[in-house]
């Protein structure tokens, strides 16, 4: 890890006339700023990850009453592997934004000012990825906005599942919990996301449509608040349902894991707290809490399988008022 090399990579950021981030420099800078972590897995450890995922699939199918399958691509990664995977994701999602049009300056990325803009954007993205790579435990990637006409229904390779092994090991030690049990609990959470997208083939397209609408508005110099509000509602449902399902389906005691992980989400030193604010992680924590409370209320009243009704049709997604008053949703949908 070398902060000097990280800064140097940002300072050397280059790009074409329409590129507002140098993604190669972003990847290099993020990796230089974050130790990759140990990834020495023997056969028994690899089998343990595979067993956790298979068991999670079986339990989530039974408890949630959902039909889905897990991705064919399941990777146990170090932090640098995670950075590489997410560079592709961010590039795919951000490239549609024409920064020159957005700020009404066709020469914005040319000359000294363009170089400065690109360097700042590259440095900001590298810092974000470096921070996140040291905190992410697992990730389900539905490959939003990927350049393909296939859906999860017809292309099993069109979604991926990652586990950042060094972070799982470190956080288990930090929280003073048994590593195998913690690893298994994280597997249940990420497979729960696969369950949502697998059970709702429309979900990926629905999110993509709203993201694209918001990005098109930005490129045209407008802010489509409704599009981003819709994305926030859907992601609140996605995160909240995963929280419900991982807890209800987990086949071991989890109360201590839940309490300690929730405390960690809101903890950290001043630098970590600053990054959380800048990256909007407080919003994500609010999504966890708000969504989990919504689905817990439904599950307590109508059962866990009734909560899965939300994935049957886009019309059954909650609106803003229903997220804060689950009874409104129950009365409307009658699961």
């Amino acid at each position: 890890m070398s902060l000097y090399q990280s800064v140097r990579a940002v300072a050397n950021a280059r790009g074409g006339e329409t590129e507002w981030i140098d993604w190669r420099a972003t990847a290099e800078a993020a990796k230089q700023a974050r130790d990759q972590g140990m990834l020495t897995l023997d056969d028994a450890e690899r089998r343990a990850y595979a067993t956790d995922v298979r068991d999670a699939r079986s339990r989530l199918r039974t408890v949630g009453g959902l039909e889905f399958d897990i991705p064919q691509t399941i990777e146990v990664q170090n932090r640098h592997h995670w950075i590489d995977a997410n560079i592709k994701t961010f590039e795919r999602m951000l490239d549609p934004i024409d920064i020159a049009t957005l700020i009404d300056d066709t020469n914005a990325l040319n000359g000294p000012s363009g170089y400065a803009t690109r360097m700042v954007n590259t440095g900001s993205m590298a810092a974000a990825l470096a921070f996140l790579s040291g905190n992410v435990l697992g990730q389900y990637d539905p490959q939003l906005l990927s350049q393909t006409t296939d859906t999860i229904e017809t292309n099993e390779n069109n979604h991926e599942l990652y586990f950042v092994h060094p972070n799982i090991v470190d956080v288990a030690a930090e929280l003073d919990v048994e590593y195998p049990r913690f690893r298994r609990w994280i597997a249940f959470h990420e497979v729960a996301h696969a369950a949502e997208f697998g059970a709702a083939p429309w979900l990926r397209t629905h999110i993509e449509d709203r993201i694209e609408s918001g990005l098109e508005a930005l490129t045209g110099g407008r802010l489509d608040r409704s599009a981003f509000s819709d994305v926030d509602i859907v992601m609140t449902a996605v995160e909240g349902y995963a929280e419900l399902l991982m807890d209800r389906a987990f086949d071991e005691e989890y109360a201590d894991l839940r309490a300690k992980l929730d405390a960690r989400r809101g903890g950290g030193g001043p630098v970590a707290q600053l990054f959380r604010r800048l990256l909007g992680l407080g919003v994500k924590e609010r999504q966890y809490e708000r969504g989990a409370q919504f689905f817990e209320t439904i599950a307590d009243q109508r059962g866990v399988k009734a909560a899965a009704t939300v994935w049957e049709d886009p019309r059954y997604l909650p609106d803003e008022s229903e997220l804060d008053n689950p009874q409104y949703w129950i009365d409307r949908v009658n699961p």
Side-chain angles (χ1 to χ4, degrees):
M1 183 174 69
S2 170
L3 292 180
Y4 168 74
Q5 293 295 336
S6 179
V7 172
R8 184 176 179 180
V10 172
N12 290 329
R14 296 291 185 269
E17 294 182 356
T18 61
E19 294 176 353
W20 58 298
I21 292 179
D22 183 334
W23 293 105
R24 180 202 57 77
T26 298
E28 181 181 350
K31 291 176 184 177
Q32 290 290 348
R34 176 66 70 178
D35 178 70
Q36 66 180 352
M38 294 294 293
L39 186 60
T40 53
L41 302 178
D42 57 22
D43 289 342
E45 183 70 8
R46 293 185 182 280
R47 286 195 298 271
Y49 270 104
T51 298
D52 290 343
V53 170
R54 284 196 303 269
D55 290 351
R57 175 185 59 186
S58 177
R59 287 282 299 166
L60 292 168
R61 282 174 170 176
T62 300
V63 174
L66 300 172
E67 287 297 325
F68 72 98
D69 210 341
I70 55 177
Q72 286 188 347
T73 301
I74 300 174
E75 297 181 359
V76 181
Q77 303 176 330
N78 64 30
R79 299 180 186 112
H80 289 187
H81 295 147
W82 184 88
I83 289 171
D84 284 336
N86 281 271
I87 282 283
K88 296 177 183 177
T89 297
F90 280 106
E91 183 176 8
R92 184 175 67 242
M93 296 186 71
L94 295 179
D95 268 3
I97 301 178
D98 185 340
I99 189 66
T101 302
L102 179 61
I103 63 177
D104 194 27
D105 183 358
T106 56
N107 296 314
L109 297 178
N110 299 315
S113 62
Y115 167 74
T117 298
R118 189 178 297 108
M119 186 174 67
V120 170
N121 291 335
T122 298
S124 299
M125 183 60 71
L129 286 169
F131 177 78
L132 291 170
S133 69
N135 287 269
V136 171
L137 301 172
Q139 178 184 356
Y140 171 74
D141 185 356
Q143 298 286 292
L144 294 173
L145 301 182
S146 59
Q147 298 301 311
T148 176
T149 57
D150 293 328
T151 65
I152 292 174
E153 278 188 304
T154 59
N155 184 359
E156 293 180 351
N157 290 318
N158 206 27
H159 55 155
E160 300 179 352
L161 188 61
Y162 313 135
F163 295 100
V164 188
H165 179 72
N167 292 346
I168 294 175
V169 172
D170 288 352
V171 172
E174 173 191 333
L175 300 182
D176 191 25
V177 296
E178 302 92 336
Y179 158 69
R181 186 165 65 104
F182 185 66
R183 180 199 63 220
R184 186 174 179 83
W185 198 52
I186 297 302
F188 270 67
H189 179 79
E190 301 309 329
V191 175
H193 284 315
E196 294 167 325
F197 282 85
W202 52 266
L203 181 58
R204 177 185 168 193
T205 301
H206 181 82
I207 297 174
E208 286 178 332
D209 287 347
R210 302 313 291 147
I211 291 176
E212 288 174 343
S213 177
L215 293 180
E216 287 174 4
L218 282 177
T219 300
R222 298 178 293 104
L223 178 61
D224 186 347
R225 295 184 183 278
S226 66
F228 290 111
S229 176
D230 289 346
V231 172
D232 179 66
I233 289 174
V234 175
M235 296 313 298
T236 297
V238 166
E239 297 296 353
Y241 184 78
E243 294 285 279
L244 168 77
L245 207 53
M246 73 183 290
D247 285 350
R248 298 295 179 102
F250 193 54
D251 48 9
E252 299 182 35
E253 175 57 41
Y254 68 86
D256 61 323
L257 300 177
R258 166 60 62 202
K260 290 180 177 181
L261 192 61
D262 286 348
R264 179 180 180 270
R265 281 173 176 162
V271 174
Q273 289 296 327
L274 175 61
F275 265 99
R276 287 180 179 278
R277 291 190 182 96
L278 293 175
L279 296 173
L281 296 181
V283 173
K284 190 174 182 65
E285 288 157 12
R286 172 61 174 156
Q287 288 175 341
Y288 279 120
E289 296 167 2
R290 192 182 186 198
Q293 186 174 15
F294 172 80
F295 283 107
E296 287 285 351
T297 301
I298 296 169
D300 289 343
Q301 288 194 29
R302 300 295 178 94
V304 176
K305 292 182 179 179
T309 305
V310 75
W311 308 122
E312 291 182 4
D313 191 280
R315 295 173 301 168
Y316 296 156
L317 285 169
D319 60 24
E320 281 284 352
S321 64
E322 290 170 341
L323 278 173
D324 293 325
N325 299 276
Q327 189 62 50
Y328 294 171
W329 183 89
I330 293 172
D331 292 342
R332 174 172 70 88
V333 176
N334 193 27

